[in-house]
Amino acid sequence: MEERTFTFHISPYDVKKLTPQLSVALEKRSALLSRERYPQLWSVTDKLNAQNEARNYKPMLSRGKSILFLILGIILVVPGLVNPQQMLVPLLFGIIGLVAGIRGLTSTGNAMMKRMKKRFDASAKQLLAGKDRLQEKDCIDITFTEEGFSYPADEGERECFSYDVFESVVEAADLYLIVFDTNVTVLQKADLVGGDFTAFHTFLSEKITHFVTEED
């Protein structure tokens, strides 16, 4: 097999452009894991939402139940976003509650959806904080090879991870959200210097089980 290598030379991030894309990517990643780990719950949720749309309930008839779902969802999602590794289950159930509640409301649902979006926006801003002020000494090379993913460590060594420890990768228009082991990394596409986007997309789809784009 031909040895494929893709290198990202990290440069200051365009935080303003990347923040909304990262927010959507974080939401996509949460929904992906939720559906993967709790397919039966999502199946029931999807069926209920489809039934509600088919029956065309008047908003006032389902508003009370929808508000309850939204409140419970927010209560569960907030701590889950703060510490997703240790509180994944509350986060997943919270997202389900939010989805069910938001779809049951009209104008109220739109307002709550905006609040939820703000929470993902806040997480995106936190992940990108300070990355627009990187200095040359902070600009490292991150490399993807057939064997794994690596970046510089102490004393000239490189920290390496095999692809079987990757939880997920979400591709957006200008970035990649990468979750591996206990780490979260955001790479901007503009930093790819060792390869092309099409080839890298193919490479990730072969190596990462949970690799999706925002459009999926």
Side-chain angles (χ1 to χ4, degrees):
M1 178 183 294
E2 180 184 355
E3 181 70 22
R4 294 172 294 179
T5 300
F6 301 90
T7 300
F8 288 79
H9 181 68
I10 305 304
S11 64
Y13 284 44
D14 188 340
V15 172
K16 183 177 180 180
K17 179 174 71 173
L18 297 181
T19 296
Q21 295 183 31
L22 180 55
S23 176
V24 174
L26 288 167
E27 184 176 3
K28 183 73 176 180
R29 173 241 178 188
S30 296
L32 170 69
L33 295 182
S34 175
R35 287 185 177 275
E36 175 76 15
R37 299 182 186 186
Y38 301 96
Q40 293 180 336
L41 289 174
W42 272 100
S43 178
V44 172
T45 300
D46 291 340
K47 287 179 181 178
L48 288 174
N49 289 331
Q51 290 173 1
N52 287 339
E53 292 177 5
R55 293 171 183 173
N56 194 25
Y57 284 126
K58 294 180 180 180
M60 289 302 297
L61 294 179
S62 59
R63 182 161 295 173
K65 183 185 295 185
S66 299
I67 291 175
L68 177 60
F69 275 121
L70 284 167
I71 292 173
L72 292 175
I74 291 172
I75 291 173
L76 292 172
V77 162
V78 172
L81 287 174
V82 173
N83 195 343
Q85 293 295 330
Q86 296 183 8
M87 304 193 69
L88 179 60
V89 173
L91 176 60
L92 298 179
F93 279 99
I95 291 172
I96 292 173
L98 287 169
V99 170
I102 288 172
R103 290 187 178 181
L105 295 173
T106 53
S107 59
T108 302
N110 291 333
M112 296 302 292
M113 186 178 295
K114 290 179 181 179
R115 293 177 190 174
M116 185 59 194
K117 183 179 182 303
K118 288 181 179 179
R119 298 186 186 279
F120 282 109
D121 288 346
S123 296
K125 289 178 181 177
Q126 184 177 5
L127 286 171
L128 294 173
K131 294 188 184 304
D132 55 340
R133 300 187 297 274
L134 293 174
Q135 303 299 315
E136 182 59 33
K137 62 182 178 62
D138 302 316
C139 295
I140 63 175
D141 285 343
I142 293 178
T143 303
F144 294 79
T145 66
E146 298 292 343
E147 290 72 32
F149 164 88
S150 67
Y151 54 82
D154 295 333
E155 300 180 356
E157 299 294 327
R158 291 188 70 84
E159 189 79 15
C160 301
F161 296 87
S162 62
Y163 296 113
D164 58 7
V165 301
F166 275 54
E167 177 209 86
S168 58
V169 175
V170 181
E171 179 183 3
D174 299 293
L175 63 82
Y176 299 96
L177 169 64
I178 301 172
V179 183
F180 64 100
D181 198 28
T182 58
N183 305 290
V184 178
T185 295
V186 180
L187 298 177
Q188 55 182 351
K189 289 185 174 181
D191 290 338
L192 179 62
V193 296
D196 64 83
F197 300 125
T198 301
F200 188 55
H201 179 99
T202 301
F203 178 85
L204 289 177
S205 65
E206 294 174 358
K207 299 294 185 181
I208 310 300
T209 301
H210 295 110
F211 171 61
V212 296
T213 67
E214 288 185 358
E215 291 76 24
D216 289 340

